[in-house]
Amino acid sequence: MGKVTGFLEFERLQEASEAPQLRKKHYKEFVVHLSDANAKVQGARCMDCGIPFCNNGCPVNNIIPDWNDLVFHGHIREALENLHSTNNFPEFTGRICPAPCEAACTLGINDDPVGIKSIEHYIIDKGWENGWVVPQVPTAKTGKKVAVVGSGPAGMAAAQQLARAGHDVTVFEKNDRIGGLLRYGIPDFKMEKSHIDRRVEQMKAEGVTFRTGVFVGKDFTPNVYNWAKETISPDQIKKDFDAVVIAGGAEMPRDLPVPGRELKGVHYAMEFLPLQNKVVAGDKVKDQLLATGKHVIVIGGGDTGSDCVGTSNRHGAASVTQFELLPQPPEQENKPLVWPYWPTKLRTSSSHEEGCDRDWSVATKRLEGKNGKVEKLIAARVEWKDGKMVEVPNSEFELKADLVLLAMGFVSPVQGVLDAFGVDKDARGNARATTDGDGCYQTSADKVFAAGDMRRGQSLVVWAIREGRQCARAVDEYLMGSSVLPR
């Protein structure tokens, strides 16, 4: 790779970011991509390791050593072409992917891994800055029509690939803007939505049609992140199109069945986060759920919980506490045991750095309040014995709570959509479809395919992009008998 001894000479460099007390005052991104000189040095750290485990650690199989080498030599446009060959939207993953590629980096066995995510961030941002990201209009049209239901990363990736193959693609989105959970599930301080908007413009130039405010399915119920104004039946979609890709997100949140759950002030995370995104976008939101001046408790230790922490701090919460049911992970993983797989270790997000009391091995027992409004949370310590979780005797405690946010993950896609299409489901309520062999990504319903969260359940943006790309190839093969699209 670029510099044979680079990994011995140079240390890993973190991207610069705005100080926590300053960035809490706004909703803009606060991480700055690497300078040209620093990107060159970070690219030099990539080893000539022989077997690039990072390539397999990455769900879209980015050809990481190659673009690290190109960055080291200053060939940024060629690095961008390499990056785009496997990833339609590296500006998304370069900002919000947890970087399983870095966990698989060979250098990470006994040193800090290569800063792959920061280099990816640098490459794509330089591409946009220099006008290198342009529409790829197909040279010929096939005459085939494909509907993509859902405009998150899986739907966008599938739509872009299919349009580049020459098909007429229409994307249906139930919300008022394109992007799915990228748009309304991820705060702007992690990823500004202009990144989605300019990709939409690129895709329009490539021939993709977008229809917002349209719900495809049955039993439509308007809620805080469902703003459809029109409903179309799956039968009509199947009649009008030669193939259908259902690529919605996993939007059925896990509930907390404890006494007091019905009290006012207890909400799902996705009743809280999307409204702030709409406000940032310039919308007038009536009765926005705010954390201002409140004692906030976030139940759930994952990314969604972290997003609730960051948003609550920006609202000006009086205090923010985050609980996790599982024990606190170790600060350092056992690398000889887990490498090159994703390790379990303590992870502190940028939102945690901005202010948050974190606690582990805590189970919520009940919520209490007056006049129908929550005022406190009663919890207890738990531990694992013989493979079972048990409450620690005499460990009950209470905390003041004006706002309780449930961020315990998502159990499945919206069932009404899958039921309306009549597809078989797996034990977890996802659309049943394989990812290899004949008929991959195809559901039990005629000419209906599934990808992303709709097929695999709640997962990462990078997995959604992978599945959207692979599903597009499967649809192209189904329509044309063969495909030149990459998997």
Side-chain angles (χ1 to χ4, degrees):
M1 302 329 311
K3 187 171 176 54
V4 176
T5 57
F7 69 96
L8 297 172
E9 299 177 32
F10 306 119
E11 295 182 352
R12 178 186 170 106
L13 177 67
Q14 298 293 337
E15 294 172 304
S17 62
E18 192 176 9
Q21 292 307 311
L22 293 176
R23 68 193 190 220
K24 284 199 301 182
K25 298 177 180 179
H26 61 78
Y27 292 89
K28 295 183 179 296
E29 291 179 16
F30 50 81
V31 176
V32 182
H33 71 69
L34 298 172
S35 66
D36 294 348
N38 286 335
K40 176 183 176 71
V41 169
Q42 292 307 294
R45 295 187 73 238
C46 187
M47 304 170 67
D48 187 7
C49 60
I51 300 176
F53 288 90
C54 58
N55 176 264
N56 286 328
C58 172
V60 293
N61 302 123
N62 279 332
I63 313 169
I64 295 162
D66 290 35
W67 43 257
N68 281 338
D69 182 58
L70 289 165
V71 168
F72 173 74
H73 285 100
H75 304 312
I76 312 305
R77 187 162 189 170
E78 290 82 354
L80 178 65
E81 292 173 359
N82 183 301
L83 180 55
H84 268 146
S85 71
T86 56
N87 186 350
N88 294 67
F89 314 117
E91 63 269 43
F92 302 165
T93 51
R95 285 168 167 79
I96 59 176
C97 180
C101 54
E102 293 187 11
C105 175
T106 301
L107 182 56
I109 294 175
N110 61 352
D111 199 350
D112 291 330
V114 174
I116 299 168
K117 180 178 176 180
S118 66
I119 299 172
E120 178 182 35
H121 184 186
Y122 165 82
I123 294 170
I124 183 57
D125 279 18
K126 294 294 285 188
W128 283 108
E129 290 168 12
N130 288 287
W132 297 333
V133 184
V134 295
Q136 298 180 27
V137 181
T139 56
K141 302 292 283 186
T142 65
K144 301 292 186 180
K145 298 169 63 179
V146 183
V148 177
V149 181
S151 70
M156 288 182 68
Q160 186 167 61
Q161 292 295 95
L162 287 165
R164 290 175 176 177
H167 305 303
D168 291 318
V169 182
T170 301
V171 177
F172 295 88
E173 170 57 53
K174 67 180 182 302
N175 292 328
D176 56 351
R177 294 181 177 91
I178 296 298
L181 291 176
L182 268 180
R183 172 77 65 175
Y184 287 122
I186 295 173
D188 288 73
F189 56 79
K190 288 176 67 175
M191 192 189 82
E192 293 177 14
K193 302 308 178 274
S194 58
H195 302 299
I196 303 174
D197 296 336
R198 61 188 179 186
R199 281 295 182 182
V200 169
E201 291 306 309
Q202 179 197 33
M203 292 171 66
K204 286 180 179 178
E206 294 171 346
V208 178
T209 299
F210 292 95
R211 294 186 58 184
T212 57
V214 179
F215 179 77
V216 179
K218 65 179 182 180
D219 302 328
F220 170 67
T221 304
N223 57 39
V224 77
Y225 53 99
N226 251 356
W227 298 291
K229 296 180 179 179
E230 178 185 356
T231 300
I232 298 179
S233 71
D235 288 342
Q236 187 64 48
I237 292 289
K238 291 171 68 176
K239 178 182 177 181
D240 294 342
F241 293 88
D242 300 297
V244 182
V245 176
I246 49 175
E251 293 183 349
M252 294 292 291
R254 182 172 285 106
D255 205 349
L256 182 68
V258 298
R261 168 64 179 89
E262 74 287 351
L263 292 171
K264 293 181 180 179
V266 184
H267 299 271
Y268 291 120
M270 287 300 294
E271 294 175 322
F272 176 67
L273 296 173
L275 297 183
Q276 183 58 53
N277 287 13
K278 288 183 71 67
V279 170
V280 173
D283 293 352
K284 300 292 185 182
V285 175
K286 184 180 179 181
D287 300 325
Q288 182 189 356
L289 182 60
L290 294 169
T292 310
K294 297 178 181 178
H295 296 280
V296 180
I297 296 181
V298 180
I299 302 177
D303 289 340
T304 304
S306 172
D307 294 343
C308 289
V309 170
T311 302
S312 296
N313 277 324
R314 282 164 176 75
H315 283 178
S319 68
V320 183
T321 303
Q322 185 178 25
F323 289 156
E324 170 59 61
L325 185 65
L326 298 174
Q328 180 175 342
E331 292 191 10
Q332 182 62 52
E333 74 271 28
N334 186 339
K335 289 186 178 180
L337 178 66
V338 300
W339 180 88
Y341 301 108
W342 183 248
T344 297
K345 67 176 183 179
L346 181 63
R347 302 177 191 277
T348 299
S349 73
S350 60
S351 293
H352 295 140
E353 294 171 353
E354 294 163 2
C356 174
D357 293 325
R358 305 168 72 187
D359 207 347
W360 289 265
S361 298
V362 174
T364 302
K365 297 192 69 175
R366 62 187 181 277
L367 300 161
E368 297 181 357
K370 293 180 180 178
N371 301 320
K373 191 177 187 310
V374 68
E375 291 186 340
K376 59 184 177 180
L377 180 147
I378 313 300
R381 303 286 173 186
V382 294
E383 60 184 358
W384 293 85
K385 290 184 178 180
D386 299 325
K388 296 181 179 180
M389 186 183 70
V390 296
E391 182 178 331
V392 176
N394 303 315
S395 66
E396 191 171 297
F397 64 97
E398 68 178 54
L399 283 176
K400 184 173 178 58
D402 304 309
L403 176 61
V404 178
L405 299 173
L406 309 181
M408 302 174 294
F410 301 85
V411 295
S412 72
V414 176
Q415 295 300 292
V417 175
L418 298 180
D419 291 340
F421 275 100
V423 305
D424 290 344
K425 292 179 282 189
D426 63 19
R428 297 167 58 209
N430 305 317
R432 187 187 299 278
T434 63
T435 59
D436 52 23
D438 294 336
C440 64
Y441 288 94
Q442 192 163 3
T443 70
S444 59
D446 182 43
K447 69 181 182 182
V448 177
F449 295 74
D453 287 4
M454 195 68 77
R455 192 203 67 82
R456 65 181 290 118
Q458 178 190 3
S459 193
L460 305 175
V461 167
V462 67
W463 272 108
I465 295 172
R466 171 196 172 105
E467 295 225 342
R469 288 172 60 89
Q470 291 189 340
C471 183
R473 179 183 171 91
V475 171
D476 193 32
E477 289 177 335
Y478 168 80
L479 295 174
M480 307 303 294
S482 64
S483 178
V484 295
L485 290 175
R487 291 193 83 240

